[in-house]
Every structure is written in C-alpha cells, then in structure tokens.
Amino acid sequence: MPSVFSQNLNEFEIKRTRSIQEQLISNPEKAYADALEISNSKNELFSFFGKYHVASYFYSKSEFIHSKQLLIALIENIEKSDIPKSSKVYQDLMGMCVNKLFYIYKNLGEYDSALFCLDKYKKRLPNNHFNEQYGLIKVAMGDCVNGIALLKRELKTSPHLKLGVGEKKVMNKKLFADKYNIIGEAYQKYYIQSKKTVLLDSANYYFNVAATMMLQDDFQPEYTKALLCMREAKSAALAGNYVKSLSLYRKRKKYPVIHDNIRTEQLFDLGMADCFRHLTQVDSALFYCKKYIKNYQVTKVSKENLLMAYNIMTQCYSEKNDNKNAYLYAQKSLELIHSIGGIKNKSLNFLHNYDLNKIKAESNKIIASKNYFKISLFGILIILASVIYSFYYYHKVQKEKHYRFLKIIQNLRESQVLGINTTQINKTETQPKQIIDDELIEKIALGLKKIEQKKTFLDPNFKLAFVAKKLNTNTAYLSQYFNQVMQKTFSEYMQELRIQYILQKLIDTPHYRKYTLQAIAEEVGYKDANTFVRVFKRQTGLSPNYYIEKLKN
C-alpha cells in the first residue's frame, strides 16, 4: 500500500511543528503529547516531524539511549520513504535528525560514533552544520586551535534566517546564543592546555554575549542567569579562585529552575565538589560527588566529567585514610581512562585520515588547473615529507623510550643482585679538595646509609635540616658533604632515592601500578602528582604512565 505523502507541509502543519519546537523548552509535557499525536498523522512527512519531536523530548529529558534508538529508526524510515532526496524538506528533516544524533553520541562521550555518523550522512548536512560538529570533535580531541577556528568560521557564515511561518525571532536568536556558548566552552578547554588567562576572558566574553541575547527577549531569564553563573564559576575554578567559584555555584539556590534539567544540576554538583576538594572540605566534596554519580546513572553524559568525579573521590577518601574506597575509585578511574583512551584513539585515527583525505582532495583540485600544478606538487611533497617525518620521529622517540625502559630494568636487577647502592660515591673519580675532615665524612656516610635502609627519605619532611638533625650535625657541613663528597645537591640525592625506590616498588608490587599518580606521589613523599611526574621524567627520561604501561605489558 503506497504511503500518503505531501512534498511540503501546509501552513497549519508548519505552525504546529514550530509550536511543538518552542514548547519543548517552555512546556515539554504538552509538546510531547502534541508530537505523539502528529506522529500518527496520515501525512507521512508530517508524521516524521512528529517522531523527530518525540525523540527531541527524550533528548531534553537526558534519556539519550531511548532518543538515539528513535532517531536511528526514524532516519531509516525517511530514507525508505518516497520523499525526493533532492528536495529541501528531505534535507532539512535529515539534517535535523543527524544533528540531534551527533549530539547524543557526543554527550555520551562516544566521539568515534559521532564522527562515523557525520561521515555517513555528510551529504545530508549543510556545510555550516558539518563545520560546527567537526570543530566540536576537534576541541574534544585536544585540537583546540583548529576546533575554535572552525566554530568561529561557522558562526560568521551561518545565515540569519528569515522568519518562516509560525517561527519566532527568539528561537532564531537562541540558535546563535548556543553557538556563542559552544565557543566559550571551547576556550575553557583551551585554557586547560595553555594556562593563558586571556582564554578565560574570551570564554566569559562569549558566555555573556549569549546570555545578553536571551535576556534581551526575556527568554527563560532565570535559567539563562543560572547557566551564566555556572559557566563563570567554572572559569573562576580553572583560574584557581575556588572561593569565588564556590560563591557563584552557591547562587544555584536563587534559581530553583535548574532542578528541571538534570544535566545542569549535575554540572553544579560537580563544580561544587571540585571547589570543596580544593578548599579541603572533604565531606562536602564527597556529598556532591555522590549526587553527581547518582544522576550520571540516568544521563550517562560525559565520561570526562565522571572521571573527574572519581578522581575527586579518590583524593578525598585518601585524605580521610579510607584506603579501601580510595583504592576502589582509583581502580574505577583507571578503567574509565582506558575506555576513554580507546574511543579517542579511534576518533584521532578518523580525524587524521579525514584531514589527509581533505588535503588530498584540495590538492587534486589544484592539480586540475595547469597554472597551479607546480605549487600543488610542491605542497603535496611537503605534506608527504611531513607525514613521513612525523612517523619516523614518532617511532624514533618510542624506540628511545623503550631503550631507556630496558636500561632501567637492567640497572635495577644489577643493583639487587650485587647489592649496589645507586646513590653511593664513585670512588674512582678525582675528588675535589675537602673542607670537612674524614671523621665527619665517615660519620655522615654511615648515618645516611641507616636513613636509606629505614626508607626515611619517603617522609614528606625529608629536607636538609631534617636530615642534619637526624645525623646530629648542621646543615652547612651536610651541604658541603653532598656538594664536595657526593658531588650532587641534597635535592638530587633525595630525588634519586625516591625514584629508585618507586621504580623497584612498581616491579615488585604489581598492585601499585593500579594507583593514581597522586597516590604514588604521596607514597614517595611528594604532595602533588605534577611535582612527582616532573622529577620522574628528569631522573628516567620517561613518564610514570609509560613506565607503568610497559611493566603491565
């Protein structure tokens, strides 16, 4: 039986779909009821719009899995229908469905699926939509410079649509406000990479432009203000001003409307948990983390944010000396990192191949013109040389890292078999003239040996004055001993002991490899993971993560 099909919607149908689109924001339950009704229309095209808005309703409720299933089924039905593929209405409907499906995949952290979705339906999407979505994935993968450039280009080239039947000006303005907010969030991600304060200024600028656009038309003023507050609070936290950030997050009490949007409430909870952790209010941090994780079971949005919550809980439980829970969330963090890493690797491969194909297509286009043959050939050679050199350099670096790793293992085995103290003095080298006498040298050497045997160097307070007191001498003599006898500074001596200890510990005790870098850092006397990573790289030429991964393999 042939389907009943109208190539275009009539005026009443257009107004009805526009009304539902608006009500999805202001009165979602009424929108859902109306969308269900028209999804059963005898006009196949009208029913497709109804089904799209049903899927949009579940999207707005953060029921992404169900929304995804509805959209995939709808896209298949649209493609099987009699709607001419060249018609504007077909392209608009397909564009809406693919766009919504892309954002579902992105929100779920399934970047590889989002990219494959884009690639599969690229011809169905307007170019400006594709650029925005491609730019979003670039930012998510860490390429903020090119990602932001694409988002800005899309913003400049997006036409300010003429209002159609039943369309309101404010809905068109909301479209552009969303674009400004997306760019603002991209600048926040860029700041995390570069730590340039000006990027947070740019982020806040775009957030304020978006909010102003909405408030001028009195569009959801309470919710708009709440979102601006939340975004500025995140900027303050990124800048390290956790007191200011927390005061902004606490303004949530003024805007009870956020309870209607579970994802927004999640972001407030996670932001407050982060602030409380940095302000050493451990119980409050745990309370908001638990709230966030509970809501995550509903939304499943953003694996990166979930990882942040796990990390906060690991550190908080560690501070409370609750080793069982600290270990539990450290394990969850590692499993999630592995999952995110796998998805990102697939996505990076896609981006790499897509960029190469794009360059190839552009080069072929230039080659078609005789005037540009030499230029294009030269450009292709440069690109090929760059790609070849990149692979060569990558493999060279990996080979050097592997050699360093093997050398470390060999040295550790030799030191265990022969009982060599890796920090001992090299007697074969010519020693400079000594200012302190031999008796004091022997006394200090014996004292240091006992300290090393007791692993006192793992104490966070292991400093020159601390050691001098232990050896019953003064810091001046001790400093001279290190500089003149051991020919290294006290700091170098301490770092060598700590790194040699953890290198061996990670071999001997496999469960240590599951700890977070923060936990490992604290194990060897460092207060934060960044300092530990810096010292580890200086001592070994490798990152702790690389060393641990090689041991696992």
Side-chain angles (χ1 to χ4, degrees):
M1 183 178 178
S3 61
V4 178
F5 169 68
S6 169
Q7 187 166 337
N8 290 299
L9 302 178
N10 60 40
E11 187 173 327
F12 168 77
E13 291 167 337
I14 293 171
K15 285 182 178 179
R16 190 89 186 274
T17 57
R18 296 287 189 197
S19 173
I20 292 172
Q21 188 178 9
E22 185 181 347
Q23 286 176 343
L24 279 168
I25 299 169
S26 59
N27 189 351
E29 300 307 321
K30 174 72 165 60
Y32 177 57
D34 289 350
L36 274 178
E37 184 182 329
I38 68 170
S39 67
N40 295 313
S41 170
K42 291 181 180 179
N43 180 342
E44 186 179 45
L45 179 60
F46 193 34
S47 74
F48 285 158
F49 275 95
K51 289 171 182 174
Y52 167 76
H53 287 310
V54 169
S56 294
Y57 166 80
F58 288 107
Y59 176 91
S60 67
K61 289 289 194 181
S62 300
E63 294 182 31
F64 293 119
I65 306 299
H66 186 46
S67 181
K68 178 174 71 172
Q69 291 167 346
L70 292 173
L71 285 167
I72 290 171
L74 176 56
I75 289 170
E76 288 176 358
N77 287 333
I78 294 170
E79 290 193 307
K80 290 176 186 174
S81 73
D82 298 331
I83 306 175
K85 304 299 183 278
S86 59
S87 66
K88 184 178 182 302
V89 71
Y90 170 84
Q91 291 174 355
D92 286 347
L93 187 55
M94 280 294 290
M96 288 160 58
C97 292
V98 173
N99 184 59
K100 189 74 74 180
L101 190 58
F102 166 85
Y103 278 101
I104 288 173
Y105 283 128
K106 177 185 171 293
N107 287 335
L108 292 173
E110 298 172 6
Y111 302 121
D112 51 344
S113 298
L115 283 166
F116 293 136
C117 174
L118 274 187
D119 190 49
K120 183 177 179 180
Y121 298 108
K122 183 179 186 301
K123 292 179 181 178
R124 320 282 207 282
L125 286 171
N127 281 334
N128 60 324
H129 276 204
F130 183 81
N131 285 335
E132 177 180 304
Q133 293 161 350
Y134 190 53
L136 277 168
I137 296 294
K138 284 267 190 184
V139 171
M141 293 296 104
D143 185 1
C144 294
V145 175
N146 290 316
I148 289 172
L150 278 169
L151 292 172
K152 284 186 170 181
R153 187 190 309 164
E154 193 279 329
L155 177 64
K156 288 179 181 177
T157 56
S158 286
H160 286 265
L161 303 173
K162 292 180 180 178
L163 297 182
V165 175
E167 189 174 10
K168 293 187 177 179
K169 182 182 177 184
V170 70
M171 295 302 290
N172 194 30
K173 285 181 75 174
K174 184 183 182 301
L175 177 73
F176 282 87
D178 289 343
K179 295 179 190 294
Y180 278 103
N181 281 324
I182 286 170
I183 295 172
E185 288 165 1
Y187 270 115
Q188 286 182 332
K189 277 188 176 288
Y190 193 11
Y191 171 81
I192 293 170
Q193 287 182 351
S194 66
K195 301 300 181 186
K196 293 179 181 175
T197 308
V198 67
L199 298 174
L200 291 180
D201 295 337
S202 297
N204 288 338
Y205 164 77
Y206 279 95
F207 293 147
N208 275 279
V209 169
T212 302
M213 289 176 74
M214 294 292 90
L215 292 173
Q216 281 174 347
D217 286 279
D218 202 33
F219 183 82
Q220 290 191 299
E222 297 305 302
Y223 190 56
T224 299
K225 289 174 186 175
L227 289 178
L228 178 61
C229 216
M230 180 190 75
R231 289 170 174 136
E232 289 184 332
K234 183 176 179 180
S235 290
L238 289 173
N241 191 343
Y242 295 103
V243 173
K244 178 183 176 182
S245 178
L246 186 58
S247 69
L248 286 167
Y249 279 125
R250 278 178 162 158
K251 288 186 178 179
R252 65 191 294 176
K253 293 178 182 178
K254 293 171 59 178
Y255 309 113
V257 68
I258 67 168
H259 298 307
D260 297 335
N261 190 310
I262 191 170
R263 280 178 288 158
T264 304
E265 193 165 18
Q266 272 187 292
L267 291 173
F268 269 98
D269 289 337
L270 186 60
M272 291 184 74
D274 185 43
C275 288
F276 280 124
R277 177 179 70 87
H278 282 92
L279 296 172
T280 64
Q281 296 183 40
V282 175
D283 290 330
S284 295
L286 285 171
F287 170 79
Y288 284 104
C289 266
K290 287 173 183 176
K291 270 191 72 183
Y292 172 85
I293 291 171
K294 183 181 178 182
N295 283 332
Y296 181 84
Q297 304 311 314
V298 178
T299 65
K300 304 290 185 185
V301 172
S302 181
K303 287 182 171 67
E304 283 85 354
N305 283 346
L306 180 62
L307 180 59
M308 182 179 172
Y310 284 163
N311 184 45
I312 291 171
M313 295 190 80
T314 301
Q315 294 185 46
C316 287
Y317 280 123
S318 181
E319 287 179 30
K320 288 169 73 73
N321 294 318
D322 185 344
N323 295 327
K324 183 181 177 182
N325 276 313
Y327 180 73
L328 171 67
Y329 284 99
Q331 275 191 313
K332 285 177 179 285
S333 296
L334 287 171
E335 289 166 6
L336 193 54
I337 286 169
H338 183 72
S339 168
I340 293 170
I343 291 168
K344 286 197 172 182
N345 281 337
K346 287 182 186 176
S347 304
L348 285 169
N349 287 336
F350 180 96
L351 289 173
H352 175 74
N353 293 333
Y354 177 80
D355 286 338
L356 283 181
N357 289 335
K358 191 176 179 183
I359 291 167
K360 186 178 177 182
E362 289 173 352
S363 298
N364 286 333
K365 189 177 178 182
I366 294 172
I367 288 171
S369 170
K370 292 179 182 179
N371 294 335
Y372 292 99
F373 179 77
K374 290 181 181 178
I375 298 171
S376 62
L377 187 60
F378 181 67
I380 291 168
L381 288 173
I382 290 174
I383 292 163
L384 287 174
S386 299
V387 171
I388 292 166
Y389 178 75
S390 296
F391 279 107
Y392 165 75
Y393 181 75
Y394 173 79
H395 288 293
K396 182 184 174 185
V397 169
Q398 292 304 310
K399 191 175 179 181
E400 288 174 357
K401 282 183 177 180
H402 187 64
Y403 173 77
R404 285 195 201 107
F405 172 78
L406 293 176
K407 192 70 177 171
I408 289 168
I409 300 300
Q410 182 185 348
N411 290 340
L412 289 170
R413 283 174 180 166
E414 287 175 358
S415 66
Q416 275 194 318
V417 172
L418 301 174
I420 297 170
N421 179 359
T422 54
T423 62
Q424 68 184 15
I425 309 161
N426 187 349
K427 297 292 185 183
T428 61
E429 293 182 5
T430 304
Q431 301 297 325
K433 187 178 179 181
Q434 297 169 5
I435 298 174
I436 53 180
D437 59 53
D438 291 337
E439 188 180 338
L440 183 55
I441 289 173
E442 188 176 349
K443 178 188 171 185
I444 291 174
L446 286 170
L448 288 176
K449 189 174 181 180
K450 290 179 182 178
I451 281 174
E452 291 171 19
Q453 289 170 345
K454 291 179 179 179
K455 306 290 188 290
T456 312
F457 53 83
L458 299 177
D459 192 318
N461 298 313
F462 190 75
K463 296 185 173 115
L464 190 67
F466 175 87
V467 177
K469 188 176 179 182
K470 287 274 185 187
L471 300 179
N472 201 22
T473 186
N474 61 50
T475 55
Y477 282 136
L478 190 57
S479 183
Q480 284 175 359
Y481 174 83
F482 282 110
N483 292 330
Q484 295 171 13
V485 180
M486 297 196 76
Q487 295 185 1
K488 63 183 71 172
T489 65
F490 173 78
S491 179
E492 289 168 341
Y493 165 77
M494 174 185 69
Q495 290 171 8
E496 286 176 12
L497 287 174
R498 288 177 171 178
I499 299 306
Q500 288 296 319
Y501 169 83
I502 202 61
L503 286 171
Q504 190 66 55
K505 194 76 174 175
L506 287 165
I507 292 174
D508 298 339
T509 318
H511 74 262
Y512 262 59
R513 301 169 201 166
K514 297 179 181 179
Y515 287 2
T516 63
L517 289 181
Q518 180 64 35
I520 294 173
E522 291 173 3
E523 171 72 16
V524 291
Y526 293 107
K527 290 183 179 178
D528 66 277
N530 290 335
T531 304
F532 166 67
V533 170
R534 191 166 58 248
V535 172
F536 193 99
K537 283 183 178 178
R538 190 185 304 133
Q539 290 289 323
T540 65
L542 304 173
S543 70
N545 282 333
Y546 179 87
Y547 181 74
I548 291 167
E549 195 61 36
K550 293 296 282 185
L551 287 178
K552 286 179 181 176
N553 294 334

